Amino acid sequence: MQYSEKVMEHFNNPQNVGTLDENDPNVGVGTYGSPACGDVMKLYIKVENDAIVDVKFKTFGCGSAIASSSLLTEKIKGKTLEEAMEISNKAISEELNLPAIKKHCSVMAEEALKSAIEDIQKKRQS
Amino acid sequence: MKLPVYMDYSATTPVDPAVLEEMLPYFSDQFGNAASIHHKFGTEAGMAVSKARQQVANLIGAEAKEIIFTSGATESNNIAIKGVAERYGDKGKHIITCVTEHKAILDTCKYLEQKGYEVTYLGVDTNGMLDLQELKDAIRSDTILISLMAANNEVGVLHPVKEIGEIAREKGVFFHCDATQAVGKIPIDVNEMKIDLLSLSAHKIYGPKGVGALYARDKNPRVRPTAVLHGGGHEKGMRSGTLNSPGIVGLGKACEICQEVMAEESARLKKLSDKLIDEILGTIEFAKLNGDRQHRLPNVVNLGFAYVEGETLMMFMPELAVSSGSACTSATLGASYVLQAMGVKDDEIHGSLRFSIGRFTTEEEIDFAVECIEKSVHKARALSPLYDDAIQGKCCKYGKCCDHGHGCVDDE
């Protein structure tokens, strides 16, 4: 697969890889995808005063899935939840110049983020 | 050691320098058309083609007149299947093949299904092996052809060709064998194995791309597929088109070299692939060999690495050129149908890599490959949430394929 330089940059040096404590009330966890389909992203966000102060991810998937995950974490770090929600898969796929056949990887990143935000909102309500 | 290390010999091989040398004059000085039998240019080319025909025949225990030159194994497979179907269609319209065959077989059979033929696709077990009883049971009074490969291109598993040949002969059904991956690596003898049609390709055996051959038995029984390409009546009318004399000379030489070195070369390659398998299975947890350990080509190793994805593995080791069964590396995003047929789970297929070695592979390269693979799997697992779950003993709690997932090429 011919990838853009930006994809290779993130793939070779992925940002914010790791996990956060799932039991921390300020940490939201989101997962998206399935092993059978070839990509799974698990995203952890730590939220203080409505702002994402820390973020980590783990991704099972191809090169573009890992690059999309890494870029997403860079984009949302320091943002408020509202700002983060506005980041679309399109922005990620355009910035990485993903091949058409790999665009679903950016969708995975967006969906994992939505799922993590839902998780933190649920935690806060309870 | 030259980098990257090439371990994709099942995809294609470099032309052996001795083969190239043999071919070169036929591009320039001896450029004649082998069909121009009335002048020196033509007869020179014609003689070279005759010699090559004999060299190909020798490698598979055939006679020179039973060899038809083609553009490669895909064409040979097309002539064998479509040509037999058309010629003997009035005897019956049933063909037997297997789900793990190459696409050149499967797609040709699908095409014939649209034309009113019936095809039985035999399954395989988890090792990729055929059940001969299933084959026997599938043969009907209207079966005209059995097409089964000698060795699988993805996992290297061997089919029991001799036994298949015996069953086919006993039932009076033609047996076509796609031996593209097997020729030059394991002994193939069309008489001993009762093969009636056989496909082979030059570029898998250190010859040039764009040339191959079809063996079609001349007697006991005689099989005459109809032509796919019509034109000047070359190759006894079975394959028209000016003969690719440099390519054919290359194929002949490649076959001759294989015949000379096969026993020694295959023993050496088997040692190297055993080493690769043993070291990987010995050092990397959750790694497994796909395909039967005993009945396999000496040079093809398909390994599955759970919890990681094949493209990522390959991208983490650009110094190693291999192939993946993962959906993510194919243009269609379809996971390997061969591994699926063997019952390998989809998520394990994604982490499968094929290592195929050959004439120029060294032990140093195997050592280097093992190092690369270990590092790459380690790096990919450090990123994988599935691996975390596995080592923590958590069970899988992920959903189904996403709506925007594979198969959905245009998701905007």
Side-chain angles (χ1 to χ4, degrees), chain A residues 3 34 37 59 61 63 101-102 104, chain B residues 311-312 328 331 383 399 401 404 406:
Chain A
Y3 283 129
S34 89
C37 129
T59 291
I101 201 165
K102 296 283 190 178
H104 63 270
Chain B
E311 186 194 86
T312 287
C328 298
L383 286 170
C401 261
H404 298 275
H406 299 292

Side-chain angles (χ1 to χ4, degrees), chain B residues 383-394:
Chain B
L383 286 170
S384 170
L386 307 182
Y387 180 66
D388 286 349
D389 291 350
I391 52 172
Q392 288 163 19
K394 285 188 200 163

Side-chain angles (χ1 to χ4, degrees), chain B residues 143-163:
Chain B
T143 306
I144 49 171
L145 180 70
I146 294 169
S147 180
L148 292 168
M149 67 200 334
N152 184 270
N153 50 304
E154 284 191 38
V155 288
V157 171
L158 304 178
H159 281 168
V161 176
K162 190 162 181 260
E163 286 80 355

Side-chain angles (χ1 to χ4, degrees), chain B residues 27-45:
Chain B
F27 286 105
S28 48
D29 292 349
Q30 297 168 39
F31 64 89
N33 185 329
S36 307
I37 52 173
H38 298 296
H39 54 65
K40 186 167 174 284
F41 298 93
T43 51
E44 267 175 0

Side-chain angles (χ1 to χ4, degrees), chain B residues 101 129-130 132 135 146-152 157-169 175-180 182-183 186-198 295 297:
Chain B
E101 293 292 312
M129 302 286 290
L130 268 178
L132 289 175
L135 168 64
I146 294 169
S147 180
L148 292 168
M149 67 200 334
N152 184 270
V157 171
L158 304 178
H159 281 168
V161 176
K162 190 162 181 260
E163 286 80 355
I164 295 166
E166 269 158 18
I167 293 168
R169 187 64 57 84
F175 172 32
H176 166 244
C177 182
D178 174 5
T180 310
V183 161
I186 58 168
I188 297 280
D189 185 303
V190 290
N191 290 316
E192 201 186 306
M193 295 171 162
K194 301 189 169 62
I195 295 168
D196 301 315
L197 300 131
L198 177 143
H295 303 94
L297 284 175

